[in-house]
Amino acid sequence: MKQGIQVSMEQIRGCRLAAHHLERKMPAAEILTAAGACGLQNSPPGAWETALFQRLEHETLDMLHMALYEQKILMQAWSLRGVPMVFPAEQGNVFLSPLMAREGEEPWIYTRGITLALDYLGMSFEELLPLIMEAAAYLDSHTVTSKEKLDQVLAETAEERLPKEKLALWNGPSMYGNPDRQTVGGAVVSFLLRPCSFAGLVVFGRREGSSPTFTSWKNWTGQEMSGGMEGEKELVRKYLHCYGPATVSGFAGWLGCSPRQAKRLWNGVSEEMEPISAEGLPGYMLTGDIKRLVDSEADEDQILLLGAHDPYLELRDRQVILQDSSLHKLVWRTVSNPGAVLKGGRIVGIWKTKKVKTQMEMDVSLFETISERDRRKLMGCGEEYAAFRGLNMKRCTIGD
């Protein structure tokens, strides 16, 4: 790869902050622009709300829920990396259908664990996926409450399509845990819900109390989900726009797909990108974004509180926003990621909150010393976030 234009980490941070709509808050009417930049992860539940709070002015939880559940201009479905994502409903051809693997492209990272069930049943991935996709047609006319119930219902629906000699094995206790509550068939369904989602066969509906509901794209919107090559290209463009300079391996990690699938998608827009070198690290950028990158500069006075799994944090080249690699494990954990304190696009600390009745307690751990003025800004950000959640700030502790 040619070395290309030389840029600094500061320029990259400035460019990415703008691409993620974190440079300054936008009017609430721009909700589709904010959500559509690269999608919003909703794991843990509510993460998408926190992400939009950081990007939109005068936004409330009621307004966000109206957009998702009533107006249905937003959609929630299992998407990138197999996680629940919220994105513009008009962009199913970007955030879902391009993720379907073609023949010869290995199963996604989040379906690899299905091997135990396949061996037990004596059936292949290629045999079971279309069977479960056919069973998922049940959701075109039904809504199911809770993920556990969804697994059960689709496993039962799939039984009539199974060879009779497989039924006893299918209904046997799961080998993945909770054998008293899940069958082998239910476990198979659980693994294959992601590719079903990519085809629009299962999406999230309205929450019922603390439980999610599930139905199909068609049943939720009244329309078929669109697809096509242009959506595949747009997915790569979104990635490069928000995370460039980037590499195809980083793209594969962002999607959670095989290197072969990532390379196919990447090559679809190869003529639209140029090589870039960031302090010796090679990558690619959309040609149309190079001037913006070169002219970018992060506002070093800006303090932000980003929630866990904010899109800005879901990058492969973590050293761009946190140079000290020994601190990475504090930010990007296996489970229960904290929020990140940003200053000029760099991570300078982490934060967590706890709800105590109608009040919020916040604990901030800084990785470096910040000024008293920045501490006041940080406190203000915390109070704004508490108000967004309908809570009063009881305590905010900032530790170095």
Side-chain angles (χ1 to χ4, degrees), residues 192-319:
L192 297 181
L193 283 174
R194 271 65 175 178
C196 286
S197 175
F198 303 158
L201 299 175
V202 54
V203 300
F204 287 72
R206 185 188 306 274
R207 288 190 72 83
E208 298 291 345
S210 60
S211 297
T213 66
F214 302 91
T215 188
S216 71
W217 182 288
K218 182 179 179 180
N219 199 29
W220 181 249
T221 67
Q223 301 176 353
E224 298 286 350
M225 190 180 76
S226 60
M229 292 290 293
E230 190 55 36
E232 295 182 352
K233 293 181 179 180
E234 188 60 21
L235 179 63
V236 184
R237 294 185 190 114
K238 285 179 182 292
Y239 176 73
L240 287 169
H241 183 69
C242 287
Y243 299 101
T247 63
V248 66
S249 62
F251 179 58
W254 185 66
L255 292 184
C257 69
S258 69
R260 185 171 181 176
Q261 183 178 358
K263 187 174 181 180
R264 170 177 59 82
L265 295 170
W266 182 272
N267 288 341
V269 295
S270 59
E271 295 182 356
E272 301 177 28
M273 58 180 79
E274 299 288 340
I276 297 286
S277 180
E279 299 185 8
L281 298 175
Y284 284 91
M285 196 82 184
L286 288 173
T287 302
D289 283 342
I290 289 178
K291 184 180 187 304
R292 180 174 63 88
L293 173 62
V294 172
D295 293 341
S296 290
E297 184 178 356
D299 179 3
E300 290 299 322
D301 290 330
Q302 185 190 44
I303 297 289
L304 290 171
L305 287 177
L306 298 189
H309 297 289
D310 186 276
Y312 183 80
L313 306 176
E314 293 300 311
L315 71 175
R316 304 297 115 180
D317 50 354
R318 295 171 175 175
Q319 72 277 11

Side-chain angles (χ1 to χ4, degrees), residues 26-40:
M26 301 186 297
E30 298 295 316
I31 186 172
L32 295 184
T33 300
C38 54
L40 307 167

Side-chain angles (χ1 to χ4, degrees), residues 1 43 57 75 103 125 188 201 259 262-263 278 309 349 372 376:
M1 186 176 99
S43 176
E57 295 178 324
M75 171 68 71
E103 185 176 355
F125 185 92
V188 169
L201 299 175
K263 187 174 181 180
H309 297 289
E372 190 59 37
R376 290 195 296 271

